[in-house]
Amino acid sequence: MQENEKQILIENLLHSIRKHPASVTSNGVQKTLDENALAKEFYTLISEATGDHYKSEQKQVTILLADLRGFSAMSEKHTAKELIDLLNRYFHKMSEIILHYGGTIDKFMGDSVMALFGAPSSSEDDLERALACAVEMQLAMNDVNATNQALGLPNIYMGIGLNTGTVVAGNLGSILHSEYTVIGNEVNLTSRIEAHSLRGQIMLSESTYDQAAEYVTVGTINDVLVKGRSQSVRLYELLSTSRPKQLEVPQREIRKSPRIAVNMPLNFQTVAGKTVQAEEYEGRINNISYNGMMAVLPMPIQPSAEIKIHFTLSMMSNQTSEVYAKVLHVQELDKHFYCQLEFTFIDDDAQRELKEFIDRIIESN
């Protein structure tokens, strides 16, 4: 029973009592019934009768956290009603799938949804159902986006993180309002894992992968530093699961790594054949990933051309790293040239520094 339903029931009971006032006699003294005490007693009885009165306990659970990518930017082009309606359609679809696989919807937070498998009740196939649920959720985005397109709205994309571990589960709140939820380091880790997922991806923690290795296939393996952990955390990209049936994650994102928005200077030289040209140019980096960047250049460059980049990410040193990149795509807009670049050469030190820089930015968001 939902909290608002309990409150309505309690108010109806109190209303009935007010219509038929009664008093009790104690030690010869007549006393009026205390409505606040009655409300508390009703709440306890209703919670116990409906099974909502959970005591806190440690439980092994798989936590699923899904979040939309780029949703905040949509607020600039669409009305609040359009966005609320879009979110409700999305949440409705995801809720159907979570409940179908026996998950418990823990909460909605902005444009994200968190679900539990193994709490409040648990079974041997909690992890299997959680993984299948995540894949079905990504598959269902086709239907969500078909509706968006019919309504003249843009496609939306979702990243999902899953983690398996021990949490404290129980009712959190007060007699006025409480909800069943889980807390602990594993919940925080799930949020960090989800933040590293690209649109359309499902990322697994090492503990989740270890327990499901015999029936899942994975792709990219990424070691990242996350807040609250002294050691790097290994993440696995889920590609498919064979339990309880064969399901494959749809491929939506061609990027091979997380991409973050930045506003950084880009100093570069063009390359003709195998010769680096002497003239230096300056542009701006709009976003950057482990493997490339999107930059605004002062002049057009042909696709497949190569440039030599000089840039530093270290705040402790002015030393620049030399990186080579190939132009994949160029688009002119308002006399600016937006270029998609893929790194063709980056030394180990620069790659490590770049990865740590991107991971720090992701963690701070």
Side-chain angles (χ1 to χ4, degrees):
M1 179 178 288
Q2 298 295 318
E3 289 299 313
N4 64 330
E5 294 174 330
K6 293 180 187 177
Q7 299 299 336
I8 292 171
L9 179 55
I10 290 170
E11 182 57 37
N12 288 338
L13 289 169
L14 290 175
H15 180 69
S16 297
I17 292 173
R18 293 188 196 105
K19 289 173 63 178
H20 305 284
S23 60
V24 297
T25 302
S26 176
N27 297 327
V29 179
Q30 229 179 20
K31 296 182 178 179
T32 303
L33 293 177
D34 185 340
E35 286 193 7
N36 287 332
L38 275 175
K40 293 178 182 179
E41 185 65 17
F42 287 155
Y43 183 92
T44 301
L45 291 172
I46 293 168
S47 295
E48 290 176 345
T50 57
D52 293 337
H53 197 64
Y54 298 111
K55 295 181 179 179
S56 61
E57 57 182 336
Q58 284 195 330
K59 294 188 74 72
Q60 178 86 357
V61 301
T62 294
I63 306 163
L64 183 156
L65 182 61
D67 183 72
L68 293 180
R69 294 289 176 267
F71 183 79
S72 299
M74 292 177 60
S75 61
E76 299 176 4
K77 299 181 179 180
H78 299 279
T79 66
K81 184 180 185 307
E82 286 177 326
L83 296 180
I84 290 295
D85 290 345
L86 185 153
L87 273 180
N88 283 335
R89 288 192 299 272
Y90 160 74
F91 282 141
H92 179 76
K93 190 69 175 180
M94 297 305 113
S95 297
E96 284 184 332
I97 297 169
I98 292 168
L99 296 178
H100 172 75
Y101 279 97
T104 299
I105 298 171
D106 182 89
K107 60 175 70 72
F108 298 121
M109 302 167 288
D111 57 2
S112 64
V113 56
M114 177 172 153
L116 308 174
F117 293 81
S121 59
S122 58
S123 62
E124 292 183 356
D125 63 346
D126 287 331
L127 179 53
E128 295 177 14
R129 289 183 287 104
L131 293 167
C133 176
V135 180
E136 289 275 21
M137 288 170 68
Q138 289 291 13
L139 289 168
M141 293 302 291
N142 291 332
D143 293 336
V144 173
N145 284 326
T147 301
N148 287 349
Q149 291 171 14
L151 296 173
L153 298 170
N155 289 341
I156 56 177
Y157 299 94
M158 174 176 62
I160 299 177
L162 289 105
N163 179 37
T164 305
T166 302
V167 299
V168 176
N171 271 7
L172 186 66
S174 70
I175 196 168
L176 299 178
H177 176 75
S178 67
E179 58 184 18
Y180 183 83
T181 190
V182 294
I183 59 175
N185 290 332
E186 301 300 335
V187 181
N188 299 332
L189 178 58
T190 308
S191 177
R192 305 300 178 192
I193 293 168
E194 184 278 321
H196 282 273
S197 64
L198 304 177
R199 62 187 195 179
Q201 271 190 329
I202 301 171
M203 300 301 292
L204 312 180
S205 69
E206 191 162 16
S207 63
T208 298
Y209 173 72
D210 286 346
Q211 296 178 54
E214 65 180 81
Y215 57 88
V216 300
T217 57
V218 296
T220 303
I221 300 175
N222 193 14
D223 293 317
V224 300
L225 293 172
V226 301
K227 187 185 296 183
R229 300 281 172 132
S230 57
Q231 302 295 323
S232 62
V233 173
R234 177 159 291 183
L235 307 182
Y236 298 80
E237 179 187 3
L238 179 67
L239 299 181
S240 69
T241 180
S242 61
R243 296 182 185 174
K245 61 181 179 180
Q246 184 66 36
L247 291 168
E248 294 186 1
V249 180
Q251 297 300 304
R252 304 189 189 279
E253 180 57 86
I254 62 171
R255 293 199 301 268
K256 302 174 183 177
S257 72
R259 183 168 64 182
I260 59 169
V262 295
N263 184 13
M264 300 168 55
L266 173 66
N267 298 307
F268 68 95
Q269 297 165 271
T270 58
V271 178
K274 295 185 178 180
T275 305
V276 178
Q277 304 300 295
E279 188 172 359
E280 295 191 5
Y281 301 92
E282 182 173 332
R284 303 295 298 179
I285 304 172
N286 278 356
N287 59 61
I288 191 167
S289 73
Y290 300 157
N291 304 297
M293 64 177 67
M294 180 68 76
V296 183
L297 305 186
M299 75 291 195
I301 297 183
Q302 291 298 317
S304 298
E306 195 168 30
I307 64 173
K308 179 182 179 181
I309 301 170
H310 308 268
F311 70 97
T312 179
L313 297 170
S314 175
M315 298 179 65
M316 306 300 293
S317 171
N318 292 322
Q319 183 177 355
T320 60
S321 299
E322 294 182 352
V323 176
Y324 288 82
K326 180 173 67 176
V327 178
L328 299 181
H329 179 72
V330 181
Q331 181 179 8
E332 183 179 2
L333 184 64
D334 296 331
K335 297 182 180 180
H336 293 90
F337 299 91
Y338 292 80
C339 295
Q340 183 182 352
L341 303 169
E342 182 180 70
F343 300 140
T344 55
F345 172 79
I346 180 169
D347 64 47
D348 291 343
D349 289 340
Q351 183 71 76
R352 182 175 59 255
E353 198 170 85
L354 174 61
K355 187 175 185 302
E356 291 176 354
F357 171 79
I358 292 172
D359 290 348
R360 284 198 303 271
I361 298 298
I362 292 173
E363 284 301 308
S364 65
N365 290 338

